[in-house]
């Protein structure tokens, strides 16, 4: 570990800090973790490990949804930021900059087929989902948006309307009539939603992460795209969790045989160091940028510091050595999951692609919450799926070395022995 000390900001110990977190920050969330035996306050962190401020070490298999895809405090990403800090700041969001132009071009080049045209930058995933929806509405002159049941696209004004009831009703944000949900992997329901020729866009997580990574049926996503074309809607690929090399290809939709009209990315694009998000638009979706470039704005979108960080992230992610390593991890995890499935009756299903997976457990209640705690007790941090608590999210870093990967699988194996006995 490199950093010398975690800033305690005057708190004598963890208990004092948790007290103020309860009082001034988020009482329910603070208590949830404490009550579930996971009183985590992140301390030192480096690579794919972090410490609790009590000094216990954990391998990070959550990565905050992929934010730490390239590890915590990746030295190359830090160097890019430090270099930028020596010369620029956030910048003025109205003016062109070399970083904005260059990163936009780099992102356009990541999408095969040469169909992408412009990029809008933001600082969080939900924000650029909103941009994607607005762009589709401008392009089509239609208002309706279709998403899948248990989708998760963020908590901003439009993105939240595409998501689960759980996050809507308490804020009296009941789903507006122009937002419709259909079951995942159900093409008939998708066609029913589209055939009125009045839908602006379908938004799809390529693999719905917060729902526990259920895999798209073979051909499903390409057929959804074909339905969009037939009925005049745009296809928005939300690759916030599945993109940036996590499933071997740079974008997960690449091995599902389609090219979206709009791609949304965030989390890992930040390198875990500086918030950056982006909405990549094809020519049909990008029209508003030629008509009125002041129509959508955000002070921090396109921060000059963030541009330098994101360019470094893309460069590292696309390196041949990185891609080869992710393939190795993919093959290793495939075999390991087959073995775990054969050996453990409590593990009933594994949904796996590249460095991400959903591990589904037998039993009623919330077995993935239990399993998350079992792993925590064994020095691994992996989180349950918020919208299906029978599934644990397994998210491995792109650069995790093979010894650490084996170590994680061994600890999962050991925890599954306990879960088998409890079932
Ligand atoms: C697939 C997906 N899209 C969008 C978002 C929203 O991103 P943010 O939390 O940065 O707004 C998330 C966040 O977890 C996500 O998982």
């Amino acid at each position: 570990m490199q950093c010398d000390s975690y800033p305690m900001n005057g708190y004598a110990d963890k208990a004092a800090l948790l007290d103020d977190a309860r009082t001034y920050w988020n009482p329910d969330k603070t208590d949830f973790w404490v009550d579930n035996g996971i009183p985590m306050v992140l301390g030192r962190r480096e690579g794919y490990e972090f410490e609790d401020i009590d000094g216990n070490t954990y391998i990070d298999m959550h990565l905050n949804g992929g934010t730490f895809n390239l590890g915590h405090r990746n030295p190359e990403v830090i160097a890019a930021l430090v270099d930028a800090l020596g010369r620029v700041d956030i910048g003025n969001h109205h003016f062109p900059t070399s970083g904005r132009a260059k990163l936009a071009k780099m992102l356009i080049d990541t999408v095969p087929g040469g169909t992408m045209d412009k990029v809008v930058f933001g600082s969080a995933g939900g924000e650029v989902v909103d941009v994607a929806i607005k762009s589709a509405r401008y392009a089509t002159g239609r208002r309706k948006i279709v998403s899948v049941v248990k989708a998760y696209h963020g908590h901003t004004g439009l993105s939240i309307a595409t998501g689960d009831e759980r996050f809507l009703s308490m804020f009296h944000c009941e789903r507006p009539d122009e937002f419709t949900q259909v079951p995942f992997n159900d093409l008939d329901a998708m066609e029913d939603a589209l055939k009125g020729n009045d839908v602006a866009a379908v938004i799809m997580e390529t693999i719905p992460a917060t729902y526990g990574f259920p895999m798209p049926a073979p051909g499903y996503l390409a057929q959804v795209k074909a339905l969009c074309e037939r009925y005049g809607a745009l296809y928005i690929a939300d690759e916030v969790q599945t993109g940036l090399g996590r499933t071997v290809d740079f974008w997960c939709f690449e091995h599902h045989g389609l090219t979206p009209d709009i791609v949304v990315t965030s989390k890992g694009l930040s390198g875990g160091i500086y918030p950056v998000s982006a909405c990549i638009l094809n020519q049909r979706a990008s029209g508003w940028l030629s008509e009125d470039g002041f129509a959508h704005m955000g002070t921090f979108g396109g921060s000059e510091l963030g541009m330098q960080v994101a360019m470094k992230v893309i460069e590292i992610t696309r390196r041949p050595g990185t891609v080869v390593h992710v393939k190795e991890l993919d093959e290793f995890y495939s075999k390991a999951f087959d073995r775990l499935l054969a050996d453990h009756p409590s593990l009933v299903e594994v949904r796996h692609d590249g460095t991400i997976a959903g591990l589904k457990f037998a039993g009623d209640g919330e077995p993935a919450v239990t399993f998350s705690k079992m792993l925590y007790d064994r020095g691994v941090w992996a989180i349950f799926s918020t919208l299906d608590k029978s599934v644990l999210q397994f998210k491995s870093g792109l650069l995790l070395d093979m010894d650490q990967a084996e170590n994680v699988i061994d600890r999962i194996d050991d925890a599954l022995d306990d879960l088998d006995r409890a079932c």
Side-chain angles (χ1 to χ4, degrees), residues 123-127 129 152-156 205 209-210 238-241 264 266-267:
S123 45
E127 183 187 348
V129 166
Y152 186 93
H153 300 288
H155 291 257
T156 51
E205 288 174 82
T210 308
D238 180 341
E239 290 263 345
V240 167
Q241 292 235 18
V264 170
S266 182
K267 288 197 188 279

Side-chain angles (χ1 to χ4, degrees), residues 1 6 8 14 17-18 38-45 49-58 376:
M1 301 270 176
Y6 170 74
M8 285 299 283
K14 189 195 262 188
L17 181 164
L18 289 178
I38 304 180
M40 171 65 66
V41 176
L42 255 64
R44 299 197 303 169
R45 58 210 86 172
E49 290 187 356
F50 60 78
E51 285 180 9
D52 178 60
I53 60 170
D54 289 336
N56 304 311
T57 302
Y58 300 86
Y376 173 83

Side-chain angles (χ1 to χ4, degrees), residues 139-196:
T140 58
R142 303 171 177 182
R143 286 179 60 76
K144 279 197 185 165
I145 303 296
V146 178
S147 59
V148 299
V149 175
K150 303 289 177 193
Y152 186 93
H153 300 288
H155 291 257
T156 51
L158 297 173
S159 72
I160 197 171
T162 67
D164 197 64
E165 215 42 64
R166 156 153 184 16
F167 303 113
L168 286 164
S169 45
M170 113 178 241
F171 296 114
H172 306 284
C173 295
E174 284 73 20
R175 199 184 316 285
D177 289 344
E178 66 269 25
F179 286 80
T180 310
Q181 288 199 318
V182 298
F184 185 59
N185 275 335
D186 184 337
L187 278 170
D188 290 338
M190 184 61 80
E191 181 152 20
D192 280 348
L194 287 168
K195 67 185 180 198

Side-chain angles (χ1 to χ4, degrees), residues 37 125 166 190 221 246 265 310:
R166 156 153 184 16
M190 184 61 80
L221 294 175
R246 300 183 89 189
T265 181

Side-chain angles (χ1 to χ4, degrees), residues 153-347:
H153 300 288
H155 291 257
T156 51
L158 297 173
S159 72
I160 197 171
T162 67
D164 197 64
E165 215 42 64
R166 156 153 184 16
F167 303 113
L168 286 164
S169 45
M170 113 178 241
F171 296 114
H172 306 284
C173 295
E174 284 73 20
R175 199 184 316 285
D177 289 344
E178 66 269 25
F179 286 80
T180 310
Q181 288 199 318
V182 298
F184 185 59
N185 275 335
D186 184 337
L187 278 170
D188 290 338
M190 184 61 80
E191 181 152 20
D192 280 348
L194 287 168
K195 67 185 180 198
N197 288 304
D198 58 354
V199 171
V202 173
I203 180 163
M204 302 287 306
E205 288 174 82
T206 308
I207 311 173
T210 308
Y211 192 24
F213 294 117
M215 289 294 148
Y220 169 67
L221 294 175
Q223 284 168 292
V224 172
K225 174 66 168 48
L227 287 173
C228 286
E229 284 167 17
R230 184 175 317 153
Y231 296 113
L234 269 62
Y235 183 108
I236 303 169
D238 180 341
E239 290 263 345
V240 167
Q241 292 235 18
T242 48
L244 304 177
R246 300 183 89 189
T247 65
V248 183
D249 287 325
F250 193 82
W251 302 112
C252 187
F253 60 74
E254 289 180 54
H255 48 274
H256 288 276
L258 72 136
T259 304
D261 297 292
I262 302 176
V263 182
V264 170
T265 181
S266 182
K267 288 197 188 279
L269 195 61
S270 71
I273 292 292
Y274 194 99
V276 191
S277 61
C279 178
I280 312 169
L281 303 160
N282 71 7
Q283 209 167 13
R284 183 164 172 224
S286 70
W288 65 270
L289 283 154
S290 301
E291 185 188 320
D292 180 359
F294 292 81
H296 173 92
M297 285 184 251
T299 306
F300 300 131
S303 154
E304 291 194 56
L305 298 170
M307 300 296 97
Q308 299 304 123
V309 164
M311 280 191 276
K312 181 52 75 180
V313 166
I314 293 176
E315 192 246 299
I316 297 172
T317 306
R318 298 195 87 181
R319 271 179 203 159
T322 306
V323 178
V324 167
H325 185 64
V326 174
K327 275 189 196 143
E328 260 171 15
L329 285 169
D330 177 38
E331 282 161 24
F332 169 74
Y333 290 134
S334 271
K335 289 189 187 128
F337 291 139
D338 284 350
R339 188 167 49 77
L340 294 175
L341 272 169
D343 290 351
H344 297 286
S346 59
L347 180 65

Side-chain angles (χ1 to χ4, degrees), residues 15 151 225 360 395 398:
K225 174 66 168 48
K360 186 172 173 65
K395 305 178 186 186
L398 301 191

Side-chain angles (χ1 to χ4, degrees), residues 80-92 96-100 274 302-309 311:
L81 179 63
V82 168
D83 177 64
L85 280 166
R87 293 188 280 164
V88 295
D89 52 20
I90 282 169
N92 183 319
T97 73
S98 62
R100 286 170 197 160
Y274 194 99
S303 154
E304 291 194 56
L305 298 170
M307 300 296 97
Q308 299 304 123
V309 164
M311 280 191 276

